[in-house]
Every structure is written in structure tokens, then in C-alpha cells.
Amino acid sequence: MGPGEPRLDVARVRGLFPGLSDGFVHTDAPAGTLVPESVAHAVSSAMRVPVANRGGVFPSSARTEGLVASARAAVADLVGGVSTGVVLGPNTTTLTYAVARALARTWRHGDEVVVSRLDHDANIRPWVQLAEQVGVAVRWAEVDIETGELPAWQYDELITPRTRLVAVTAASNAIGTRPDVAAIATRAHAVGALVFVDAVQAAPHVLLDRAALGADFLAVSAYTFCGPHVGAVVADPALLAELAPDRLLPAPDRVPDRFESGTPPFELYAGVTAAVDHLAGLCEDAVGSRRDRLRVSMAAVAAYEGGLFDWLDQALRAMRHVQVVGFPEHTTPTLSFTVPGMRPRQVAAELSRRAICAWDGDFYARELFDALGVNELGGAVRLGLAHYNTAEEVGYVIDSVAALRSAL
Ligand SMILES: Cc1ncc(COP(=O)(O)O)c(C=O)c1O
């Protein structure tokens, strides 16, 4: 980061998070970040006033309409989409299944879909299962087992004139790898295939631009970017209008509502808006539209988290009793590691005893950890940073992982 570039005032930022007062180091962000007071306040405020269902002619119903419109506008700003292309739902997995079912209706026997071994299972299994049901072939993009990269060149072979869909992650939830999604999408679009991008782990760390990524569908989950447990899929409204998702007969047929089943958690939508506002406000001196402020704030987040992560990553790689999984070049601030001689659960328990939150397991990156041989070891331990982590915390985590040596 150069002089004069916006910086994150982490002391101020930490003051926004009541959850940080529990005395733990929260390095479990990939499974869900803490929420700032503004998000909790937005949700509880939405429940303190009359909230009705949508579509009524009375004021509390109009208020609910506003909650939905605001959440859609916020997510659109976050990923560079338009409100009418923002489908909200309970989580990314449920929405991916909904889109997969709708797309599968357009597939024909002999068509092909391409999934990647790098992905969270949420962006693999729906496609594989729907492909099986329709008689569509599944082709797999492989991970370089030395580096944990997902080489884009392999898509030259994988994508054929029969390819209908390419599903790929913008960032691995297990080892942080950020593949060249735009290059993969260019290859997919050259044959008329659609691209479904899982941005659940990218959204908290970089400013996304759906069009620049070439994502026909882009999925995010607000609980990874300081919001509540709500998911969203963003697409071109014209594309959504072409698809026929499962839908109750009396439910609205307009876009994007036709993809949203049942009565949603309107109060949580208030939290989605507050979460995007939180990100946009991380740099207090950022000005302009919310998208402009997001651009500045997320650049500061990326620079700040990147500096901390490089330190963590290099320190762990230098420890002889630790094996960091993969060695990707472009990453989010997430890594997984093993300690040969200790079960991952034991490592996580030892870190927890030292007041560090760290996940163990395969993190639903089952295909990746099978391919890399990590599951044979019982999985790995994951550390993921968020913009509220400090250098002091990272130093403490490094010391704590170093101290595991004495338990061997
Ligand atoms: C990369 C990635 N994709 C998809 C998911 C699934 O998201 P959700 O829990 O919203 O269904 C996760 C959850 O951790 C994830 O990390």
C-alpha cells in the first residue's frame, strides 16, 4: 500500500464489534464472521416496528417492501449488479440448488457441465446431481496438487460445444486459492455456456464486479461479510426471466421474486443492508456512492488483510512441525494446515484452550481434500482472517501454533 492510500483504522473497526469482547482470537471467519453492532441493531430495529408480509396496502407492508428493496440494492452494490437481478434466499446452497434445477430443465442428454475440484461442495453437488438426473456428462477441472491452483488452461480441453454450464469458485474456502475466473468465463462464453461463480469467500475480501468476472450467476452469503445468515445469487434479470424455477402457483412470477420460495426473513434483510453499509464505511474518508465507498474500503481491507496474512502464512510455512496445504499465488487470507502426529481436532482443541477459534475438518471442500490427500490425515485446521483481526492476534496465533511442537 502506497503513502496516501486509504488505510483501515483497525482500532476503530474493532470497537464496532461487540462479539470481540469475549477474549477469543476469531480466526474462524470463513465459516462466518462476527457482526458489527450496526447489523444487530438493524435486525432488532426491524422487529421493533410492525413488519408485515409483502403485497399489502397498509404501511407495515410497505415498510417490508422497503426492506427487500434495500437489501437487493445493497447486494447489487456489493457485487456490481442491478437490484432486479438479486435473488435473496436462506443461503448459497439452497439458492444454487434452485438455479441448478431451473437450468437443468434446459439441458439435453449429451450436454455437459464442468465443475472444479477446488470448490466447496455447494458449487459441485447440485450440478453433479442434476446432471445425473438429466443424463448430462460432468467434466472435472483438476487442482494442481503441488500448488493448490486451479489452472485456467485446462478449460480449453474441458469446455466443448456441448458445455452448458461451468461452475467455479472465486476463492477456495479451504486454502484461499483465487482462480482466474475471468479467463475461465471467457472460454465458457465462447461456446455459449453459462458460468456460475461461487463468491462466498471472495466477497468479504475483495470488491467483486460480476461483469468483469464474467459471472452469469454470482453467489454470496452475507454471514461471511459481517451480515446475517442470508444468501444471494446475482444475475442479469433478463437471464432470470428466461428460466422456470420451482414455484408455487400463487407466488409472484416476476423477476427476481420467482426464484424466492416462501416467506423470507425480512428482518434479516435489514441486516444484509447494514452489513454492506458496514463494509462501505470501513474507510471513514471514502466518499461518493455506496459502490464508490466500497471500492475504497475494500481496497483498504485487501491491503490490510494481505499484510497480516503474508506474515501468518510465511511464519507457519517456516515451522518444521507444520504443513500448510497448497501454495497458491493469489489467495484470500485463508489457509489450512496439518501437524503430522496430531489429529486436526486435537490441534483445534489446543488452539481453543489458548482462546483461538479455528475450525478443523474438510470444510465441505471434500473433493479438494480428497485430491490433495488431506482427508487421509483426518482433514486439516483452518485459519481465516477478517478485517477485525490485528497484528497482535496474528503474532499470538503464530506463537500458539509454534508451541504445538511441545505436544508432539
Ligand atoms: C466457498 C463456499 N461456498 C458455498 C458455501 C455454502 O454457503 P451457505 O452456507 O450459505 O449455503 C460456503 C460455506 O461455507 C463456502 O465457504
Side-chain angles (χ1 to χ4, degrees):
M1 189 165 52
E5 285 183 34
R7 278 173 192 277
L8 205 66
D9 176 356
V10 72
R12 182 188 76 83
V13 167
R14 283 177 74 81
L16 305 174
F17 286 88
L20 283 172
S21 60
D22 70 349
F24 273 74
V25 175
H26 292 272
T27 42
D28 56 335
T33 48
L34 300 176
V35 295
E37 177 62 29
S38 58
V39 169
H41 180 73
V43 174
S44 65
S45 298
M47 298 186 90
R48 283 201 185 93
V49 291
V51 177
N53 210 330
R54 298 177 66 190
V57 292
F58 45 95
S60 51
S61 182
R63 187 178 298 119
T64 302
E65 245 5 285
L67 292 178
V68 175
S70 298
R72 284 187 181 147
V75 173
D77 281 352
L78 184 68
V79 305
V82 292
S83 297
T84 46
V86 176
V87 179
L88 298 169
N91 50 55
T92 286
T93 305
T94 307
L95 289 172
T96 307
Y97 267 115
V99 173
R101 279 194 295 269
L103 282 176
R105 295 200 170 105
T106 70
W107 298 343
R108 297 289 165 262
H109 187 76
D111 285 346
E112 298 169 359
V113 300
V114 182
V115 294
S116 103
R117 236 29 107 187
L118 185 67
D119 273 78
H120 184 289
D121 216 52
N123 200 25
I124 296 176
R125 217 53 53 192
W127 308 113
V128 170
Q129 289 166 353
L130 267 300
E132 271 166 16
Q133 285 171 26
V134 182
V136 162
V138 178
R139 312 193 80 190
W140 289 86
E142 301 293 344
V143 170
D144 180 324
I145 59 168
E146 298 296 324
T147 61
E149 300 276 4
L150 183 73
W153 53 258
Q154 65 186 312
Y155 284 82
D156 285 340
E157 297 273 314
L158 290 169
I159 293 170
T160 76
R162 296 306 305 265
T163 306
R164 303 296 309 279
L165 179 101
V166 176
V168 67
T169 189
S172 156
N173 68 315
I175 61 172
T177 311
R178 293 184 56 207
D180 189 348
V181 171
I184 294 166
T186 301
R187 289 166 166 88
H189 291 154
V191 299
L194 294 170
V195 180
F196 190 104
V197 176
D198 176 348
V200 170
Q201 296 296 335
H205 306 294
V206 290
L207 185 75
L208 294 164
D209 183 336
R210 187 181 73 80
L213 281 173
D216 297 293
F217 302 92
L218 187 115
V220 294
S221 284
Y223 70 84
T224 67
F225 57 82
C226 302
H229 289 86
V230 172
V233 166
V234 186
D236 184 336
L239 174 58
L240 295 177
E242 284 172 22
L243 299 175
D246 289 337
R247 185 176 66 81
L248 302 184
L249 207 52
D253 192 24
R254 59 179 179 261
V255 163
D257 309 55
R258 62 160 71 171
F259 281 85
E260 298 174 345
S261 304
T263 310
F266 299 119
E267 59 284 350
L268 297 185
Y269 287 6
V272 172
T273 307
V276 176
D277 284 335
H278 162 77
L279 294 180
L282 281 171
C283 273
E284 278 187 305
D285 42 5
V287 291
S289 68
R290 182 164 52 195
R291 179 78 180 162
D292 289 341
R293 287 179 286 120
L294 279 164
R295 194 171 288 113
V296 173
S297 291
M298 294 311 288
V301 164
Y304 175 74
E305 292 178 343
L308 289 187
F309 182 72
D310 286 349
W311 180 29
L312 175 69
D313 188 53
Q314 283 162 25
L316 263 58
R317 286 180 194 282
M319 294 179 196
R320 296 185 62 174
H321 63 294
V322 168
Q323 283 182 0
V324 178
V325 181
F327 200 176
E329 196 183 337
H330 300 291
T331 66
T332 55
T334 296
L335 61 77
S336 286
F337 69 96
T338 58
V339 179
M342 278 179 93
R343 306 286 296 170
R345 171 95 347 172
Q346 251 182 299
V347 173
E350 188 56 33
L351 293 177
S352 173
R353 207 180 57 73
R354 289 169 167 266
I356 296 168
C357 304
W359 279 99
D360 64 289
D362 69 8
F363 323 118
Y364 281 35
R366 180 70 54 86
E367 295 288 344
L368 175 68
F369 275 11
D370 278 348
L372 299 182
V374 179
N375 280 333
E376 289 166 26
L377 311 170
V381 177
R382 179 175 67 183
L383 295 171
L385 303 181
H387 55 262
Y388 46 69
N389 289 121
T390 63
E392 192 188 9
E393 287 181 330
V394 169
Y396 177 69
V397 170
I398 291 169
D399 290 347
S400 300
V401 176
L404 293 171
R405 202 180 166 150
S406 58
L408 287 170

